[in-house]
Amino acid sequence: MGMIRVLQSTASVLAMVLGVAPPAGAQERSIVVASTTSTEQSGLFGHLLPVFTRASGIVVKVVAVGTGQALDMGRRGDADVVFVHDQVAEQKFVDEGHGLRRLPVMYNDFVLVGPRSDPAGAKGRDIASALRKVAASGAGFISRGDKSGTHAAELRYWANSGAAPPGMPGYKECGCGMGQALNIASSSDAYALTDRGTWLSFKNRGGLAVLVEGDSSLFNQYGVIVVNPARHPHVKKELAQAFTDWLVSDEGQRAIASYRVGGEQLFFPNAGSGR
C-alpha cells in the first residue's frame, strides 16, 4: 500500500513538471462547504462528515462563519455548497441565480438564555414579551452582530417585540460566533439568543440557564444549496450534489438524528418537509 502511494505521488509530481494534469483518480475528491458556526460548534460536522466520507470517498472542508458570510462565499464562488439557517436569505440566494436549489435538511430551535436569577423577569414561553422585559430592565444582552442566521432571527424577534435594542444601555454586539457570544454572556451575566444545538454543546455556562423556549416562532430551519456552476465553472457540481443528496437521504437523515450530547438530540431531520 505504501508503494502505491509513493507511485501515485510520483505520478502527480511528474504530471506537474510536464504540465500534464494527473489522472482523475489521483486527484483529491473534496468540496468546500460554507456553513454556520452553529453546525460546527455544536459538533454536528464532527459526527456527520466521517460517515459521509466513508460512504462516498469525498472529503468535506468546512468553513464555519455566519450565514450571511457563508452566502457571500457562495456568491463569490469560494464554496461548492452552502449549509445555513436563514430561509428568507437562502431563497433570495437561489432566486438571484447564485444557487441551484434549496433543500430543507433539519431543524432545531432558538432559546433565550440568561442569568438564573433572571433580573429582567423574562422567563416564559413568549420571546417577544421576554425581550420587552429585558429592554425595560436595562439588563445586559449580548448580540452576535455578525449577520448570521441567529443574528437575523434575533433582529426579527426584537422588531416583533417593539423594543429598540440599539438604544438599550446593556445591548452589546460582539461581531462573533455563537460560542464566543455565549462566553461573553456567561462572564457578564447577560442574556443572549442561541440555537439549542450550540447551547447543549456549550461547557462554560457559568450562571446561565435557558429562560425562554417553546415559542413556535423560535423554530430554526437549516437548508443546503449547491452553488451555481453556471456562475462559477470551477464549482464541483457532481461532488457537491452527492453531498446534498446524502444529507437528505435516509442514511444522512438517520446520521443527523443520531447525534446527541448528554443524551439530548441536537438536530431533527426534516428533508422534504418544504418548511
Side-chain angles (χ1 to χ4, degrees), residues 116 186 189 202-209:
R116 286 193 184 88
S186 176
D189 282 331
F202 183 63
K203 306 301 182 187
N204 185 33
R205 296 181 182 181
L208 296 184

Side-chain angles (χ1 to χ4, degrees), residues 47-218:
H47 170 76
L48 280 187
L49 298 186
V51 180
F52 171 69
T53 298
R54 283 195 299 270
S56 67
I58 300 169
V59 175
V60 178
K61 301 175 181 179
V62 175
V63 179
V65 290
T67 285
Q69 292 171 285
L71 291 171
D72 284 343
M73 284 184 63
R75 290 186 182 95
R76 295 192 302 267
D78 292 337
D80 302 292
V81 175
V82 293
F83 187 2
V84 291
H85 64 138
D86 184 345
Q87 190 166 347
V88 173
E90 293 163 42
Q91 194 57 54
K92 183 172 185 283
F93 180 84
V94 172
D95 291 345
E96 291 175 347
H98 300 293
L100 297 184
R101 180 188 176 196
R102 178 192 179 276
L103 295 173
V105 176
M106 63 188 189
Y107 69 93
N108 60 10
D109 61 346
F110 293 111
V111 294
L112 183 72
V113 300
R116 286 193 184 88
S117 60
D118 191 17
K123 187 175 178 64
R125 292 174 61 88
D126 187 331
I127 187 63
S129 173
L131 291 177
R132 284 193 293 271
K133 291 174 181 177
V134 171
S137 73
F141 186 98
I142 306 302
S143 169
R144 285 181 57 173
D146 63 348
K147 298 183 180 179
S148 62
T150 302
H151 183 219
E154 179 216 313
L155 294 180
R156 288 195 300 271
Y157 300 142
W158 279 116
N160 291 339
S161 77
M168 286 171 48
Y171 185 85
K172 296 179 182 178
E173 293 186 337
C174 68
C176 61
M178 195 69 256
Q180 188 176 349
L182 286 172
N183 275 319
I184 296 170
S186 176
S187 64
S188 57
D189 282 331
Y191 293 83
L193 184 79
T194 176
D195 67 284
R196 190 183 295 272
T198 304
W199 171 253
L200 290 174
S201 300
F202 183 63
K203 306 301 182 187
N204 185 33
R205 296 181 182 181
L208 296 184
V210 173
L211 299 175
V212 179
E213 60 184 330
D215 188 323
S216 62
S217 69
L218 293 171

